[in-house]
Amino acid sequence: MRFTALFVCTLLAMLPPAFRGLPRAYGAAPDTGHSRKSGVPQDLREATLARATLELLEKEHLLHKRVDDELSRVAFATYLDRLDSGKMFLLKADRDALGKYADKIDDQLRAGSLELGHEGQRILIKRVSMVEAWVAALLASPLDHTNKEDVELDPKKVTPAANEAELKDRWRRRLELEVLERVAQMQARLAPSKTVKTPAVASAPGRPKEKSNGDDDEKAGALRLAEIPKTPQGRETKARADLAKSYAARFVRLAHPAPVDAAADLVNAVAASVDPHTNYLPPADRANFDIQMRGSLEGIGAVLREKDDYIEIVELVPGGAAWRQGQLDPGDLILAIASGTQDAVDAVNMRIDEVVNMIRGPKGTVVTLRVRKATGLEETVAITRDVVVVEEAYAKAALITKKGQPAYGYIHLPSFYGGEGSARDSASDVRHLLRELNAKKVAGVILDVRGNGGGLLGSAIEMSGAFIEKGPIVQVRDSKGRRQVLTDDDAGADFTGPVIILVDRFSASASEILAGSLQDYRRAVIVGTSATHGKGTVQTLIDLDRATGGQLGLGVFKLTIQQFFRVNGSSTQSRGVSPDVTLPDPAGYIESGERELEHALPWSQITPAEHDDWKSSWNAAALSAASVARVSKDPVFAKVTKLTQLMKAREADTRVPLAEADFMKQREQQRAEIAAASPKLDESPKRFSVMPIDQRAPVAAAANGKKDSRVAKWSDNLARDPWVDESLNILTDMKK
């Protein structure tokens, strides 16, 4: 999620005096190796990093958790899981051998010698070399696709291999599956009419979907028809050859880690055992983080993170190329990348900085991603690189009219944008739109923050203030227990009618502050598909190089230092904001949100901030009961519910048959079930009329004088949105 700009900064003053002098304190460290980048002894770098980790976690982190034997054991389990998350390299004996370090990580950090990181890396490289030979041999000859056996895809259900024979058999099964998947993709490419697209999880109407055809995919580096063999044997041979090439590159990456990787892996296992948002960023990762925060990258506009052996799409930047193209979703795993017409490059086990470098590129060029969706199906997505189309990221508003109801206002807010150097500010834009809606005498307003990952804290406070007279909006508690109440001090509200805040599981950070404060004041009814994301902490970046004189090339440490609390004293952490009225969740089968993250900070509570409730007459329980009755009769919502149930059932069934006939039958059956259950929102009838209103910066008209197609597409998507439609019904109930 985006970090709050008010707090994301470099803080050197907070560093303890002992840490500021570390380079000199460790000047006598033995010179047993040098960094390829800086010429600085590696032992000195690691000793400095180890001491910094202890100082920051124990003294400056929000929890002040002591790094001791107990935390070491937790960090050891985390380290092993990250070292070989798929249980595809290390034997049980390897893990047992590393077990002698299980309660020694704290001692290693205090001694400045990160032995576990180096020993784990040594064992992994040894196993990679062994597996590399197996894979090359297995893929050199045709595989047997007739055996009635299967493969388990969930590593949590798999125990470490007891011996080399068991591990080799595990790889044989995995390779057979990957060959079958590639053959199936080739066959689908030869018969595109039978291909079933996976339904997207995003429901926010501000995100248009641009359709592409097969010709575009071919030009963009996707699987080209002319290259697909015409016989089953030829397709199997090509699949093995492509896999062999892909794995060869993957094993080279795994066998040649960067000099800082061993230390970084161990330090990050310790940091992740304290909380999932505290982590160490080596210089290369820090550069990528800086680009992400600036948001001016010419690329696809996606926020990425490492997840097990994969790079996961966490968030799409509003207005970015991927957001506008519409086929990628949060939770997608990147399997391969092709730039232009080049061959696809395997991205599994690739470092995140390498993936980012491959995805980046000049505006107008094409990058093709092969991704695994949350449904388990794989898709190839071609995206034309572009800078963020700023207008797409701004708040939009419309006047909505529906038969038998008064006119209502609707505002879609993709993010809490603004800040120094920005041409626009989200709070000012929303207040302007509220005044426009007031002038049109709307009977109520829907503020849609679905998919809104947050942004500026100040904008969330000012925007909340647009709906209340004045008073506290959010409370902040720091690592020293100091509490600060942030308030809206401007008397008067920009809009005084009924308000609905529309949320989903991807609404986070500033979105949660807005929804939570208006819920606490009884100013708005929160309508959503689930509790919001639950990110209620604040991180800061600590520049280790500036703190140590800039000689070691250490990078930065991202540290959790503060926590948000609502007006009622409840934290937004972990639990998020629960809707007053809950609607069917199109992304209910996706594991997302703070509560799904391992070692996430728990929910907590402090003293409520004094405030005056808004004088509202509606009853949340009655609104919910009436909504449930309507939703139960809506065929689109019925399909959404059925699709979610189907996906949850599939998520639990993680074994895949390896006999080709059984595999193909299961694959086609799953695709047919998804197609049958898909609500197909773009094909559903319009539910109400939409008239876009002034958005402060007029959208340029086309040369023929017609309205901009983006506005028309946005309006068309909105008019078919069942969640907005039900929100209109709830607004009408609020007025009764």
Side-chain angles (χ1 to χ4, degrees), residues 689-706:
S689 298
V690 176
M691 184 181 76
I693 68 169
D694 170 52
Q695 296 168 32
R696 194 170 276 196
V699 181
N704 59 8
K706 295 183 179 179

Side-chain angles (χ1 to χ4, degrees), residues 37-318:
K37 180 177 180 180
S38 65
V40 175
Q42 191 67 16
D43 279 7
L44 175 57
R45 287 162 57 101
E46 291 187 7
T48 307
L49 176 60
R51 179 69 177 276
T53 300
L54 283 172
E55 292 282 345
L56 293 173
L57 293 181
E58 293 187 339
K59 297 181 179 179
E60 308 302 334
H61 189 278
L62 182 67
L63 297 182
H64 294 291
K65 186 173 286 189
R66 179 165 175 76
V67 180
D68 55 14
D69 287 357
E70 182 181 356
L71 183 62
S72 291
R73 285 187 282 269
V74 175
F76 177 73
T78 301
Y79 174 76
L80 280 187
D81 187 56
R82 291 180 169 209
L83 186 66
D84 181 25
S85 60
K87 299 187 178 75
M88 296 297 291
F89 292 100
L90 301 186
L91 300 178
K92 183 179 183 301
D94 297 328
R95 292 171 177 255
D96 292 344
L98 293 173
K100 65 183 180 181
Y101 298 110
D103 59 357
K104 301 291 191 299
I105 297 176
D106 57 326
D107 302 321
Q108 292 183 14
L109 287 171
R110 297 187 196 286
S113 177
L114 306 180
E115 297 172 37
L116 172 57
H118 293 284
E119 182 66 8
Q121 188 177 86
R122 184 191 66 77
I123 292 175
L124 179 65
I125 291 174
K126 174 185 173 183
R127 292 302 178 195
V128 166
S129 176
M130 179 182 72
V131 169
E132 182 177 16
W134 292 346
V135 169
L138 286 167
L139 292 175
S141 304
L143 297 170
D144 185 355
H145 299 294
T146 61
N147 289 338
K148 292 285 186 177
E149 56 185 2
D150 56 28
V151 60
E152 175 59 66
L153 297 183
D154 186 353
K156 294 179 181 178
K157 298 179 182 178
V158 176
T159 58
N163 49 54
E164 291 183 7
E166 183 180 339
L167 186 63
K168 184 176 181 180
D169 185 68
R170 186 172 296 177
W171 272 99
R172 176 188 63 79
R173 294 179 188 231
R174 176 59 61 90
L175 293 174
E176 285 186 17
L177 174 63
E178 293 192 46
V179 168
L180 287 173
E181 287 176 339
R182 287 174 178 259
V183 168
Q185 289 176 35
M186 284 187 257
Q187 292 180 183
R189 192 79 177 89
L190 290 170
S193 61
K194 296 182 180 179
T195 299
V196 178
K197 285 288 185 181
T198 304
V201 303
S203 59
R207 186 180 164 210
K209 292 192 176 293
E210 300 171 359
K211 296 182 179 179
S212 61
N213 56 46
D215 293 337
D216 293 335
D217 289 342
E218 285 202 34
K219 294 174 184 176
L223 195 62
R224 288 173 277 274
L225 282 170
E227 298 176 354
I228 299 177
K230 298 299 184 284
T231 66
Q233 295 81 4
R235 291 192 286 273
E236 200 267 355
T237 300
K238 176 175 173 54
R240 284 189 289 106
D242 290 347
L243 263 181
K245 180 179 178 180
S246 173
Y247 269 111
R250 187 184 305 182
F251 293 138
V252 168
R253 292 195 299 269
L254 288 172
H256 296 85
V260 74
D261 281 356
D265 289 346
L266 183 55
V267 165
N268 273 323
V270 176
S273 300
V274 177
D275 95 273
H277 302 293
T278 290
N279 62 294
Y280 165 59
L281 301 170
D285 292 348
R286 190 262 169 89
N288 293 326
F289 182 85
D290 288 344
I291 291 175
Q292 171 191 321
M293 293 304 296
R294 287 198 299 271
S296 59
L297 172 69
E298 286 192 356
I300 66 171
V303 178
L304 311 176
R305 72 175 173 196
E306 294 180 0
K307 182 178 181 181
D308 300 328
D309 297 326
Y310 302 94
I311 300 301
E312 179 187 28
I313 295 173
V314 180
E315 182 183 355
L316 302 177
V317 178

Side-chain angles (χ1 to χ4, degrees), residues 553-628:
L554 289 176
V556 298
F557 213 99
K558 181 158 64 70
L559 191 72
T560 298
I561 59 168
Q562 294 175 317
Q563 186 170 355
F564 287 127
F565 293 86
R566 291 167 51 162
V567 173
N568 67 3
S570 172
S571 174
T572 57
Q573 174 63 18
S574 185
R575 295 184 184 180
V577 178
S578 296
D580 298 302
V581 180
T582 303
L583 303 179
D585 188 354
Y589 53 90
I590 296 179
E591 290 186 1
S592 67
E594 191 81 3
R595 48 202 162 271
E596 301 293 342
L597 300 179
E598 199 168 13
H599 307 305
L601 268 65
W603 174 88
S604 59
Q605 194 165 18
I606 62 174
T607 305
E610 292 186 8
H611 67 284
D612 295 324
D613 283 349
W614 189 266
K615 291 181 175 58
S616 55
S617 59
W618 42 263
N619 178 280
L623 294 176
S624 179
S627 177
V628 167

Side-chain angles (χ1 to χ4, degrees), residues 2 206-208 210 295 297 299-302 315-326 383-394 396 412-415 417 451 710:
R2 286 187 197 81
R207 186 180 164 210
E210 300 171 359
L297 172 69
I300 66 171
E315 182 183 355
L316 302 177
V317 178
W323 185 86
R324 300 196 311 274
Q325 195 265 0
I383 301 172
T384 301
R385 298 181 178 104
D386 200 355
V387 295
V388 172
V389 176
V390 179
E391 292 83 359
E392 294 282 3
Y394 291 154
K396 298 181 180 70
H412 177 242
L413 184 67
S415 70
Y417 52 86
R710 288 174 296 173

Side-chain angles (χ1 to χ4, degrees), residues 402-413:
K402 181 180 177 181
K403 186 176 180 181
Q405 294 182 356
Y408 290 113
Y410 170 85
I411 299 175
H412 177 242
L413 184 67

Side-chain angles (χ1 to χ4, degrees), residues 5 11-12 36 52 104 152 157 162 168 176 203 235 256 333 356 429 454 483 523 618 621 623 643-644 653 666 676:
L11 297 180
L12 296 178
R36 299 175 196 170
K104 301 291 191 299
E152 175 59 66
K157 298 179 182 178
K168 184 176 181 180
E176 285 186 17
S203 59
R235 291 192 286 273
H256 296 85
L333 301 177
V356 171
D429 283 355
R483 171 191 171 204
R523 176 64 187 94
W618 42 263
L623 294 176
L643 179 62
T644 300
D653 184 11
Q666 183 192 74

